[in-house]
Amino acid sequence: MYTKTLPFFLVIFLLINIVPNSLSQNHSIAREWNEAVLQAIRNDFARPTVHARNLFHTSIAMYDAWALFDDEAQSYLIGRSRGSFTSDFDLEEVETLRSTMDLEQTISYAIYRLILHRYNGAPKFTLTRYLIEDLMEELGYDITYTSTDYSDGKAASLGNFIAAEIIAYGLEDGANEENDYGNIFYQPNNPALDPRNTGSVSNTNPNYWQPLFFRNFVDQAGNPLPQAVPEFLSPEWGFTTPFSLTNSDKEFYNRDGELYQVFLDPGPPPIMDDENREEYIWGFSLVAEWSAHLDPLDSTLIDISPASIGNINDFPTTFEEYQTFYKSEGGDWGEGRLINPTSMLPYEPQIVSRGDYARVLAEFWADGPDSETPPGHWYTIANYVMQQPEFTRNFAGGEELEPLEYEVKTYFMLGGALHDAAIAAWSLKGYYDYIRPISAIRYMADKGQSSDPNLPNYHIDGIRLIPGVIELIEPGDLDFPDIDLVGQIKVKTWKGPDYIVDPEIDVAGVDWILAGDWWPYQRPSFITPPFSGYVSGHSTFSRAAAEILTYVTGDEYFPGGMGTFEAKKDSFLVFENG
């Protein structure tokens, strides 16, 4: 489904690089521990809300440790009240102790203890523990030291204390951490869909999220489970204590007898009713149409340089404008930028196969299992920016800071913004409980086609016919010789994981399939994220993070006017070969 900020994160892909590089030596202990947190996220389940919170809380630990050692800065949590929590800490006492303490050691113990606590239930926690223990050993710190009595003048004690305070705060911030972030009252409005079966469930409500039934589920640790129906992730996340969102940003809504706390409500998505039906059908049909771009044999060539895409000055605000904003061949009405603002030279074209670009784009932003998830993804982007040769640490375009101060401030602001983005987005996801494309497309296909009442299989809720992409099966159709399928809907799209035995050598490709068999471009063990589709979490995270990076760097552009990402042939894609 479309959102106002969707084109932004599509364009940002062109400008970023998260391929691990050897770290610049001009970084601080904060960067080393941030990388450890990101790896802990990759070793955990794909839970973007939880990881946005963990990134924020670890950033609080770094920032507050730094602030306690600074003559002017004020801590965020330590020694202060946030939400219902009050940190009992003598801010004056530490001023007499910090002359004997080491700041890097304080940060290290605080993050080490937080990671141990927050990720001890992760499926690959053993790998995480080895990583952080090795880092502590490399730094020369004793991991068996657990005292939180900072009055002893030891930096390790202060670090342990900071971690303990953040852990205590986390048990009172509304995230339900004590119950592994489980749902309290939310119940799905639809029965589970088994995507291995053609079509949708007969009583699917087209306006609500639908859980998926996995016959053979593989968790993030690679453990096969006989069957599973993953529950909606964080539908009540709106009750989590935010960083900067205020009471004026929120409203309380009642649905199904339950009260939802919702932030920054943009209004409802289009639903399948008399007023919004056309908009609903158009949006989800466009998803199916763009799925045809995932073809490695597609001969279409496109320019993905900043000269050709991005730089959108006016976003659509009406359904009519959205219909012209998004192009059937892909892309939008972005104007691009002809001149690199740093070099003042034209951007060079980069001509690529649309099929390759679409698949790389989809996998890059999939952010499912084994990834750092969208909030962590933006930390990798921030780290990429800070390691470029052209980068300077002029915070917010002002004075140049030392690496540690710059990094703790950047991580703290980025973490706060991403944490609030998760709260705002998931408060809306939980309340609106909106359907995802796999359910909507199959539902419409089961109903029929809505384009022409004079053609067979017409239904007002049916999918939109698009010549060459979404069509009726006619007699004599060589792709569907079964006479019983005549009149049903076919779609030219990625054929799905059933056509892939070995992702290292197999390619599903694009061809005509029954629309009732439509799959998103994903692996069969993570077909689609387990939460509703509105609003877009990726777009919300991306716009918030990009605004923060623009502010802290004092520049809306990447260092040098462009960043790069290299997807190597036959090694980047993991859903299929390519």
Side-chain angles (χ1 to χ4, degrees), residues 8-10 12-13 16 18 34 38 55 364-365 367 372-386 410-411 414 418 537-550 558:
F8 175 80
F9 84 78
L10 289 175
I12 282 293
F13 164 81
I16 57 183
I18 61 165
N34 177 251
L38 292 173
L55 284 162
F364 183 89
W365 283 111
D367 283 329
E372 59 277 342
T373 72
H377 205 146
W378 275 95
Y379 269 79
T380 66
I381 295 170
N383 288 337
Y384 165 74
V385 168
M386 291 188 289
T410 297
Y411 292 153
L414 186 59
L418 291 170
H538 271 82
S539 295
T540 308
F541 284 130
S542 293
R543 184 56 180 264
E547 292 292 341
I548 293 298
L549 292 185
T550 296
F558 278 76

Side-chain angles (χ1 to χ4, degrees), residues 130-158:
Y130 287 155
L131 170 68
I132 60 177
E133 287 180 353
D134 285 347
L135 181 53
M136 289 290 280
E137 181 179 357
E138 179 183 332
L139 294 169
Y141 301 146
D142 180 7
I143 62 174
T144 66
Y145 185 82
T146 59
S147 173
T148 59
D149 182 9
Y150 57 88
S151 66
D152 62 10
K154 294 183 178 179
S157 300
L158 180 58

Side-chain angles (χ1 to χ4, degrees), residues 74-146:
Q74 293 186 355
S75 59
Y76 172 78
L77 179 67
I78 303 304
R80 306 190 184 279
S81 295
R82 296 292 174 188
S84 62
F85 178 79
T86 297
S87 172
D88 185 13
F89 178 78
D90 188 343
L91 290 170
E92 292 183 359
E93 183 177 357
V94 77
E95 292 180 7
T96 64
L97 298 173
R98 66 189 185 193
S99 62
T100 65
M101 294 181 178
D102 177 72
L103 175 55
E104 291 193 357
Q105 188 174 0
T106 300
I107 289 175
S108 295
Y109 273 90
I111 306 302
Y112 172 74
R113 296 292 173 202
L114 267 176
I115 293 175
L116 280 180
H117 172 77
R118 291 286 171 82
Y119 291 98
N120 61 13
K124 298 178 183 176
F125 175 66
T126 300
L127 296 177
T128 298
R129 190 181 72 243
Y130 287 155
L131 170 68
I132 60 177
E133 287 180 353
D134 285 347
L135 181 53
M136 289 290 280
E137 181 179 357
E138 179 183 332
L139 294 169
Y141 301 146
D142 180 7
I143 62 174
T144 66
Y145 185 82
T146 59

Side-chain angles (χ1 to χ4, degrees), residues 214-276:
F214 292 81
R215 299 183 192 181
N216 296 295
F217 183 69
V218 179
D219 68 17
Q220 190 156 343
N223 301 312
L225 302 174
Q227 59 185 16
V229 180
E231 68 175 11
F232 192 125
L233 174 73
S234 307
E236 301 136 11
W237 205 250
F239 291 102
T240 304
T241 302
F243 168 57
S244 62
L245 294 170
T246 65
N247 288 335
S248 64
D249 297 320
K250 71 181 179 183
E251 299 179 71
F252 290 94
Y253 296 150
N254 190 299
R255 197 192 79 229
D256 301 332
E258 300 291 351
L259 197 65
Y260 288 81
Q261 182 168 285
V262 172
F263 287 89
L264 304 176
D265 181 19
I271 61 174
M272 187 71 87
D273 64 6
D274 291 340
E275 182 179 354
N276 299 282

Side-chain angles (χ1 to χ4, degrees), residues 286-297:
L286 180 66
V287 175
E289 183 177 9
W290 276 12
S291 298
H293 301 167
L294 297 163
D295 188 357
L297 301 179

Side-chain angles (χ1 to χ4, degrees), residues 508-526:
V510 168
D511 208 341
W512 291 103
I513 65 170
L514 286 173
D517 289 333
W518 185 88
W519 287 70
Y521 189 67
Q522 267 287 1
R523 67 195 83 186
S525 60
F526 191 82

Side-chain angles (χ1 to χ4, degrees), residues 131 179 196 213 225 275 340 380 387 428 438 440 494-495 546:
L131 170 68
N179 295 311
R196 295 288 186 181
F213 171 77
L225 302 174
E275 182 179 354
N340 181 316
T380 66
Q387 72 188 39
L428 294 160
I438 187 172
W494 184 65
K495 292 164 63 178

